[in-house]
Amino acid sequence: MATKTWDAASERFIKDDLDHVEKLRRLRRLNGIARLMDTAIRIPGTGIRFGADSIFGLIPVVGDAGGALVGLYIVNEARRMGVPPNKLVQMLGNIAADGVVGSIPVAGDLFDLFFKSHRRNLDIILQHFDVRAEELRNAR
């Protein structure tokens, strides 16, 4: 909800931080989804992380489609937040690459470990809004 306050010094209305707080709340939710899908679990002794998308990908066809649906939710939320169409197309390309290559048996499962489409899409959104990932973790 956008609210405005009269600033007597500048003699004009200014936006309150409510928009910024709402944006951070949505970005935190998207960050949680991307983390769950791409980097929730770390293989001990390595720097390799994976998430539900890699596990779902083990189920032929249905698993990759489920991961793509979650990715489309992230893209739709970005659209609702005002991310421009050229970045939305880039995000859809990431989902398509993950879905198409991820559906190839064995090679697709290895691809899912290293190509983290949800995380890439979140980075595009954060870059657009000029928000650092640390802000999503720290300011609760």
Side-chain angles (χ1 to χ4, degrees), residues 27-100:
L27 290 173
R28 279 190 199 107
R29 184 176 64 239
L30 293 178
N31 183 53
I33 293 169
R35 182 180 180 282
L36 175 70
M37 293 300 289
D38 287 340
T39 61
I41 302 166
R42 183 177 59 82
I43 298 174
T46 69
I48 299 173
R49 298 183 72 87
F50 65 95
D53 192 30
S54 296
I55 295 169
F56 291 158
L58 296 173
I59 303 169
V61 181
V62 178
D64 292 308
L69 286 176
V70 173
L72 289 175
Y73 170 78
I74 293 172
V75 172
N76 186 50
E77 191 67 19
R79 181 194 59 80
R80 292 177 60 207
M81 293 174 70
V83 173
N86 63 324
K87 292 184 180 182
L88 294 175
V89 168
Q90 185 180 0
M91 293 170 69
L92 288 172
N94 287 337
I95 294 170
D98 190 23
V100 170

Side-chain angles (χ1 to χ4, degrees), residues 1-8 10-20:
M1 176 175 172
T3 60
K4 296 182 177 181
T5 304
W6 180 256
D7 182 24
S10 64
E11 296 183 359
R12 63 185 173 98
F13 282 100
I14 57 171
K15 279 182 152 180
D16 285 340
D17 282 343
L18 222 53
D19 288 340
H20 183 69

Side-chain angles (χ1 to χ4, degrees), residues 20-29 31 131-140:
H20 183 69
V21 170
E22 174 65 15
K23 185 187 321 173
L24 283 178
R25 184 185 68 76
R26 288 171 137 188
L27 290 173
R28 279 190 199 107
R29 184 176 64 239
N31 183 53
V131 175
R132 294 186 330 266
E134 296 81 37
E135 291 180 59
L136 300 179
R137 289 188 286 268
N138 295 338
R140 288 208 182 241

